[in-house]
Amino acid sequence: MASQRVVMVVDMQNGVFATERIQREQCVARINQLTAAADTVIFIQHAEAGGLEEGSDGFALLPELTQPANALYVTKTACDAFYHTTLESVLREHDIRAFVMCGCATDYCVDTTLKNGASRGYAITVAQDAHTTANRPAAQATVLIDHYNEVWRTLTVPGNPVLVKPVETILHEWQTN
């Protein structure tokens, strides 16, 4: 039996993109490729006062993002999607032990969730060309994305290495497994 193809999409919301993010169109297109090929898609959405309240336009997912009919949704209030959320129970309920991560923001929510998930034993593959962030005072977005791809690729989690692969490679592996 082939393994379940699961994609976790982090914070691809209107309000998050009120701050300009690099390569929005390319990122969304690659995420849509992944979600079209996935068995299960989990959308993680950030909620907070100031424009990201649940039910608001800012909380809504980007309109160009494809949402499969059977998608799952988890709301978070911190950078870590595991922190005081239903994510762990959703993963258990659907017997998910491995997933591909993508979304926004590379240096905050994607990074924090990835590290917590890997430490909990989840097998995580990062779609290296399907996450985005904003320019920051200390570094440009492209530098941050390259930096975090390298950090994750070399992250030390004995017995559970994080994989970092282009979307094209992930899709090819899904087709051949």
Side-chain angles (χ1 to χ4, degrees), residues 87-110:
L87 180 56
E88 186 95 53
S89 62
V90 167
L91 294 171
R92 265 196 310 270
E93 178 183 332
H94 294 276
D95 196 27
I96 297 169
R97 297 298 310 157
F99 50 85
V100 171
M101 281 192 74
C102 54
C104 188
T106 300
D107 44 341
Y108 288 93
C109 301
V110 176

Side-chain angles (χ1 to χ4, degrees), residues 5-61:
R5 300 172 301 193
V6 180
V7 176
M8 183 182 297
V9 181
V10 179
D11 292 355
M12 295 296 288
Q13 301 164 251
N14 291 324
V16 174
F17 279 77
T19 300
E20 187 178 340
R21 307 298 172 158
I22 191 166
Q23 299 177 338
R24 171 181 171 154
E25 295 80 17
Q26 296 92 328
C27 186
V28 170
R30 289 183 186 115
I31 290 171
N32 284 340
Q33 287 179 289
L34 288 168
T35 60
D39 299 314
T40 303
V41 178
I42 305 169
F43 288 102
I44 307 295
Q45 290 171 268
H46 192 85
E48 67 180 43
L52 287 173
E53 296 85 0
E54 286 188 67
S56 70
D57 287 340
F59 182 79
L61 293 170

